[in-house]
């Protein structure tokens, strides 16, 4: 009798959702039992399949306890590229529990001819770089707005998937929207709102890349927030790569 291998995916990225779909749709034999772990920041994680668990573990010790209790055969860190703490927790817990781990992270965007990027290391520096703009399209997510609340000069248009807290010294309006967006729509929005600065995290991927292309075509500067440091873990950049690693790890076909 073959036992069903258990796989845990630490989610929060579109790749986590895509990988989960690949794993549960019968492309593997035996089909692994997939659990996707979310922090619980968004009220409705877009996960199609697998068992879902939500909420923190209380640090590395709690995570180790969970991993041992569930007896997983492999773990995949498919966290968002800007998750700063959890990748380190996952790496340490996997090492302590001798659990095979791969990190799946999409490549960062690279600037090309025509781009006017101002690369900054974090949201504080991004807020400083926004001070002299007139109208800013702010697309860093609703949980990373604090640094901008003190910037009194520009008008901020704050785009987020769920309503953001717009309190602060700044002048801010909210715009609720969930990608993917088209380049034409992004250009229309930027032109209609007379945007003269885009602030973005270097999230990479295709779902929100249209704003970068739109800014390039309209010659709008982009304050680009670089990614946080990552733990040293074996890494793949595609869902297919993670699937291949898992296939070998589980001795699956
Ligand atoms: P973080 O700073 O790396 O994590 C903070 C804490 O949240 C962790 O220590 C852990 O709590 C808990 N946590 C994070 N991800 C978790 C997961 N997948 N399952 C269970 N607990 C998790 O992460 P963050 O920046 O707050 O982001 C939270 C989540 O949103 C992540 O899953 C990330 O992939 C996703 N996300 C983040 C961004 C972003 O820009 N930061 C954007 C889109 C999506 P305990 O220590 O108690 O275990």
């Amino acid at each position: 009798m073959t036992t069903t291998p258990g796989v845990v995916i630490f989610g929060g990225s579109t790749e986590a959702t895509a990988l989960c779909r690949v794993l549960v749709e019968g492309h593997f034999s035996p089909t692994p039992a997939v659990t996707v772990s979310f922090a619980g920041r968004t009220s409705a994680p877009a996960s199609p399949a697998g068992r879902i668990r939500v909420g923190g573990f209380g640090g590395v010790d709690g995570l180790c306890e969970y991993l041992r209790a569930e007896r997983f055969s492999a773990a995949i860190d498919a966290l968002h590229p800007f998750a700063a703490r959890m990748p380190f927790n996952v790496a340490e817990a996997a090492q302590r529990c001798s659990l095979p781990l791969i990190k799946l992270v999409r490549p960062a965007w690279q600037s090309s001819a025509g781009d006017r990027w101002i690369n900054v290391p974090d949201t504080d520096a991004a807020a400083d770089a926004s001070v002299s703009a007139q109208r800013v399209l702010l697309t860093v997510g609703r949980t990373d707005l604090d640094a901008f609340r003190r910037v009194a000069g520009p008008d901020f248009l704050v785009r987020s998937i769920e309503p953001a807290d717009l309190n602060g010294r700044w002048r801010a309006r909210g715009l609720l929207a969930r990608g993917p967006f088209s380049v034409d729509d992004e250009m229309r929005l930027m032109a209609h709102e007379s945007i003269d600065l885009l602030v973005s995290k270097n999230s990479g991927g295709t779902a929100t890349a249209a704003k970068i292309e739109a800014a390039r075509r309209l010659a709008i500067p982009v304050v680009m927030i670089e990614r946080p440091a990552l733990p040293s873990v074996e890494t793949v950049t595609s869902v297919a790569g993670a699937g291949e690693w898992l296939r070998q790890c589980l001795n699956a076909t």
Side-chain angles (χ1 to χ4, degrees), residues 22-59:
V22 169
L23 298 185
V24 301
E25 280 182 356
H27 300 283
F28 274 61
S29 179
T31 303
V34 178
T35 301
V36 191
S37 174
F38 290 103
R41 302 283 192 274
T42 45
S43 46
S47 175
R51 185 164 63 120
I52 291 176
R53 68 154 303 285
V54 178
F57 298 91

Side-chain angles (χ1 to χ4, degrees), residues 11-12 37-39 41 55-59 79-80 82-86 201:
S37 174
F38 290 103
R41 302 283 192 274
F57 298 91
L79 294 151
H80 188 273
F82 276 82
R85 177 70 249 148
M86 195 61 176
K201 292 175 172 173

Side-chain angles (χ1 to χ4, degrees), residues 159-191:
R159 185 162 73 187
S160 57
I161 295 172
E162 295 190 22
D165 169 9
L166 299 179
N167 287 318
R169 286 183 62 213
W170 60 345
R171 286 194 307 277
R173 281 180 299 134
L175 173 63
L176 288 185
R178 183 193 279 267
F181 305 102
S182 73
V183 175
D184 284 349
D185 285 348
E186 296 290 54
M187 288 177 72
R188 244 189 308 276
L189 173 70
M190 290 179 196

Side-chain angles (χ1 to χ4, degrees), residues 19 28 236 238-250:
L19 178 61
F28 274 61
V236 290
S238 68
V239 170
E244 195 43 47
W245 175 86
L246 196 60
R247 206 179 285 284
Q248 288 179 18
C249 182
L250 301 180

Side-chain angles (χ1 to χ4, degrees), residues 129-136 151 153-156 171 196-198 221:
S130 309
V131 172
S132 51
Q134 306 276 310
R135 295 177 66 88
V136 179
V151 181
D155 285 309
F156 285 94
R171 286 194 307 277
D196 64 350
L197 186 71
L198 170 67

